[in-house]
Amino acid sequence: MYGLVVLLCAVLYTSVTRLHNIYVHSENISIGKDAKQSSTYSTYPASMALDKAHAYYGSFTSQDNPSWWEVDLRGYFNISNITVTATSYSDWYIYMKNAFVEVMDKDVSLCSDVQGAWCGEVPNTLAAGEEFTFTCNATFPVRFVRVTRRSTSGIYLSIGHVDVQGEGTTKPYRSYYKPSKNKKVSEPFLTTSAMIAGDCGIVCHQHHSCIDFSFSATAPTDENCLLTDKALSSHHVNDNSWTTYTITCL
């Protein structure tokens, strides 16, 4: 069998409107997460837009069509609002105009059944360092946030800072896990026990931040189920009793 399937139902409700400089205080769930972009100009990678200390320069793409920036929240969340801030360096802020913000439940580059929701669009006129806060009408648990600029030709995208506010929720109605033999989670946030791999998968399912898990039928019973919320945190081991299950799309 290709993978384990975990089933649940979830409901997410948020309002849809465009706001300026208004914050709904919950938790910034984008700090320390995995960011990428369509390309990288010079030394301004996608990760800089997640660190407020680098908001002066932020992230910067080359001229792509479209140009996009994305953060993988490494878990599933109810989103209350998303704030994007223009850079303050020189005139780079103009490369955020007309950028639109959306949220998705799966990786659009891997999955064919992605659910998405529009959150808002930066106006055509803006100032250096200006903030724009949007709410999203997503009726599903969110894992990915993407900012995109489109053009008839190549176009830059520059973002000073992205702040995603939200709270953890349950996973989408289906999660598929691909097994990898002789691999073991090296940085678990939870070490527990399970009778079978499916039980370990249920424990992972109950923790909204759990992305991958490892199970061993022969390890000590209180240490045979390892849960992680970090990317690339598993490694090969010389023990064929361990299998790591990674969330993926079929």
Side-chain angles (χ1 to χ4, degrees):
M1 185 174 180
Y2 181 73
L4 297 179
V5 180
V6 179
L7 178 65
L8 76 109
C9 294
V11 176
L12 170 66
Y13 173 80
T14 55
S15 60
V16 56
T17 184
R18 174 172 174 263
L19 305 171
H20 272 279
N21 301 316
I22 298 176
Y23 291 85
V24 177
H25 294 287
S26 50
E27 178 186 2
N28 184 353
I29 55 177
S30 58
I31 294 176
K33 300 300 173 66
D34 302 324
K36 62 182 180 180
Q37 55 193 13
S38 54
S39 62
T40 298
Y41 176 81
S42 188
T43 57
Y44 306 99
S47 58
M48 291 184 70
L50 292 179
D51 188 344
K52 202 163 188 177
H54 295 302
Y56 184 75
Y57 293 102
S59 63
F60 207 117
T61 72
S62 297
Q63 289 181 301
D64 302 318
N65 185 26
S67 291
W68 54 265
W69 177 98
E70 182 181 275
V71 59
D72 180 351
L73 299 174
R74 301 302 294 176
Y76 296 92
F77 298 86
N78 293 333
I79 304 300
S80 54
N81 60 67
I82 299 171
T83 299
V84 291
T85 304
T87 63
S88 297
Y89 176 72
S90 186
D91 63 350
W92 286 11
Y93 64 91
I94 67 173
Y95 299 121
M96 199 176 79
K97 68 179 182 179
N98 299 126
F100 60 88
V101 181
E102 58 187 333
V103 294
M104 296 168 288
D105 66 333
K106 298 177 184 178
D107 188 338
V108 70
S109 66
L110 297 175
C111 308
S112 60
D113 58 344
V114 175
Q115 294 185 89
W118 172 277
C119 301
E121 182 175 343
V122 176
N124 188 53
T125 57
L126 68 160
E130 188 171 1
E131 297 180 353
F132 301 90
T133 299
F134 309 101
T135 57
C136 306
N137 187 29
T139 57
F140 51 86
V142 169
R143 177 173 165 179
F144 295 89
V145 174
R146 179 173 280 222
V147 182
T148 306
R149 288 188 81 206
R150 296 188 182 278
S151 175
T152 56
S153 59
I155 192 170
Y156 294 111
L157 171 62
S158 177
I159 306 173
H161 186 241
V162 177
D163 183 313
V164 183
Q165 297 284 315
E167 298 179 345
T169 186
T170 49
K171 290 183 175 62
Y173 65 100
R174 287 187 185 273
S175 296
Y176 298 92
Y177 292 91
K178 179 181 179 180
S180 298
K181 285 293 219 179
N182 298 89
K183 291 194 74 175
K184 181 181 178 182
V185 164
S186 56
E187 299 179 50
F189 71 80
L190 177 65
T191 298
T192 186
S193 62
M195 292 293 293
I196 60 174
D199 293 337
C200 188
I202 291 173
V203 177
C204 180
H205 166 77
Q206 292 170 339
H207 290 76
H208 77 272
S209 60
C210 178
I211 300 300
D212 309 334
F213 67 91
S214 296
F215 174 79
S216 170
T218 61
T221 55
D222 59 343
E223 300 176 359
N224 68 349
C225 177
L226 312 176
L227 276 55
T228 184
D229 58 358
K230 293 181 171 60
L232 305 176
S233 68
S234 62
H235 64 286
H236 287 280
V237 292
N238 294 321
D239 184 346
N240 60 14
S241 73
W242 281 102
T243 300
T244 291
Y245 296 85
T246 303
I247 193 166
T248 185
C249 296
L250 296 177

